[in-house]
Amino acid sequence: MKIINGKETALTIRLELKEKVDKLKVSGNDVPGLVTILVGDNPASEVYVSSKIKACSEIGIRSKAEKLSSDTSEKELLNLVQKYNEDKNYHGILVQLPLPGHINEDKVIEAISPQKDVDGFHPISIGNLVIGKDTFVSCTPAGIHELFKRYNIETKGKHVVVVGRSNIVGKPIANIMLQKKAYANSIVTVCHSAAKELSYYTKQADILIAAMGSPEFIKGDMVKEGVVVIDVGINRIEDPTKPKGYRLVGDVAYDQVAPKSAFITPVPGGVGPMTIAMLLQNTYKAYLKINGMN
Ligand code: NDP
């Protein structure tokens, strides 16, 4: 069994990007810029945004954090997005979700210029992914794909079983793995809550991607020997022995599943750290594309 160390891989990617950004500076170029837009004061969103901003500054990407009050109108937010669509200093625009209930998230996502859609949530980005064109791929699925590459995991012709069909994880990773490309080209099954007997599907997986949001749901007897396991879930469970009173677990019962696995991602330290690394990568890519440098 080999542990896929997402923390280490993400750090390597960040250092590679830093070198690229440094080279831009040395050759007198502008650097990539990312603007984050946060509406309201959801504590989890605040933590996510601040870690994205910190990651940008560590590798030399210019960043700006727009923080708007929770009573910001949809129109005001759309105007701000439009302002950054036109601002040449910012190559990526990230609107932190979820938005307050009075704002239509779809409308806001669709207002972001597809050229600056570093989160990969715009319908044009998703459409391009489905038809196999180069595009911005949402960060968590892009991070999973990157892990397959970096760990040289054979995916061609393998049966990938994805548990979860969300627009941000399940559907995009299923579409990535379907592509006739390196580290994809797989046979893909997507499961969701209507599956009567989930283990019927998971037991067939050569590669199992669990993105359900159910703590330790995938047990040892639900997988076959030699499976590659990507655990996307991040769930808090009560643990009075921990200072915070909780600990993080994935969707996979790690202690049971790891001994049967060829490769497995831990939680934390597996898929999670890859997400921000891919956001930085997408911002760099947006910069290159906008400047005709790719
Ligand atoms: P969603 O809640 O949007 O989707 C969960 C999916 O899992 C749904 O499609 C649901 O089916 C399916 N599902 C839930 N329970 C079962 C079950 N018992 N059997 C089969 N299918 C089931 O979650 P997300 O995709 O947003 O996130 C999934 C997990 O990944 C969460 O723990 C989240 O915290 C984590 N996450 C981690 C990220 C990171 O590492 N950076 C980023 C994003 C998410 P149905 O559609 O029928 O309801």
Side-chain angles (χ1 to χ4, degrees):
M1 186 268 294
K2 190 160 180 197
I3 294 173
I4 297 178
N5 188 337
K7 202 172 164 190
E8 197 179 271
T9 309
L11 185 63
T12 305
I13 293 169
R14 284 156 76 147
L15 290 173
E16 289 168 2
L17 284 169
K18 183 175 184 312
E19 266 182 34
K20 290 178 183 169
V21 174
D22 285 347
K23 272 193 192 148
L24 289 174
K25 282 191 216 158
V26 168
S27 47
N29 282 298
D30 185 17
V31 294
L34 173 75
V35 60
T36 62
I37 303 176
L38 173 65
V39 186
D41 38 28
N42 177 330
S45 293
E46 282 180 355
V47 171
Y48 292 143
V49 166
S50 64
S51 49
K52 289 168 188 174
I53 294 288
K54 184 164 167 268
C56 284
S57 80
E58 280 169 7
I59 69 156
I61 286 184
R62 180 190 322 111
S63 64
K64 183 166 178 183
E66 288 279 6
K67 191 171 181 331
L68 308 179
S69 65
S70 55
D71 60 358
T72 301
S73 70
E74 185 178 284
K75 184 95 188 86
E76 283 170 306
L77 178 56
L78 290 171
N79 285 342
L80 188 66
V81 168
Q82 190 50 35
K83 181 184 138 199
Y84 283 107
N85 281 342
E86 289 160 17
D87 188 334
K88 292 195 165 46
N89 291 313
Y90 293 95
H91 310 90
I93 301 174
L94 181 149
V95 177
Q96 185 65 44
L97 303 179
L99 291 170
H102 65 279
I103 298 177
N104 181 332
E105 279 184 2
D106 290 344
K107 230 173 161 176
V108 175
I109 291 168
E110 284 167 34
I112 297 171
S113 161
Q115 280 196 307
K116 299 191 175 186
D117 179 35
V118 288
D119 247 345
F121 294 160
H122 195 289
I124 289 184
S125 304
I126 294 165
N128 280 334
L129 171 65
V130 173
I131 61 174
K133 278 194 180 171
D134 180 45
T135 188
F136 293 111
V137 177
S138 54
C139 300
T140 302
I144 296 169
H145 190 224
E146 193 69 30
L147 287 173
F148 291 140
K149 279 190 211 163
R150 302 249 173 182
Y151 278 80
N152 195 24
I153 291 171
E154 176 70 84
T155 57
K156 184 178 172 186
K158 301 289 180 192
H159 188 188
V160 171
V161 176
V162 180
V163 189
R165 59 174 161 188
S166 72
N167 289 336
I168 61 165
V169 187
K171 282 181 195 154
I173 191 62
N175 278 288
I176 292 170
M177 299 316 292
L178 262 184
Q179 307 287 327
K180 201 168 181 177
K181 287 185 181 157
Y183 299 103
N185 214 359
S186 310
I187 316 303
V188 180
T189 297
V190 183
C191 301
H192 43 75
S193 64
K196 283 206 181 82
E197 197 192 330
L198 189 62
S199 63
Y200 169 78
Y201 303 97
T202 56
K203 272 183 194 162
Q204 296 178 44
D206 299 314
I207 299 175
L208 179 67
I209 302 177
M212 7 175 8
S214 283
E216 301 179 318
F217 193 92
I218 306 289
K219 309 283 190 235
D221 61 0
M222 294 171 73
V223 300
K224 69 178 182 189
E225 285 288 340
V227 63
V228 173
V229 178
I230 305 292
D231 189 355
V232 187
I234 302 178
N235 310 289
R236 276 186 186 189
I237 57 166
E238 275 185 37
D239 185 343
T241 68
K242 300 284 172 197
K244 288 184 180 164
Y246 69 86
R247 67 191 161 94
L248 294 180
V249 297
D251 289 345
V252 172
Y254 186 88
D255 291 346
Q256 295 179 23
V257 174
K260 294 179 82 174
S261 310
F263 288 89
I264 188 165
T265 60
V267 176
V271 174
M274 293 297 289
T275 301
I276 291 186
M278 291 299 105
L279 173 68
L280 301 174
Q281 189 150 293
N282 278 351
T283 305
Y284 179 71
K285 176 175 170 165
Y287 169 92
L288 293 183
K289 280 194 151 191
I290 287 171
N291 290 298
M293 292 163 76
N294 58 332

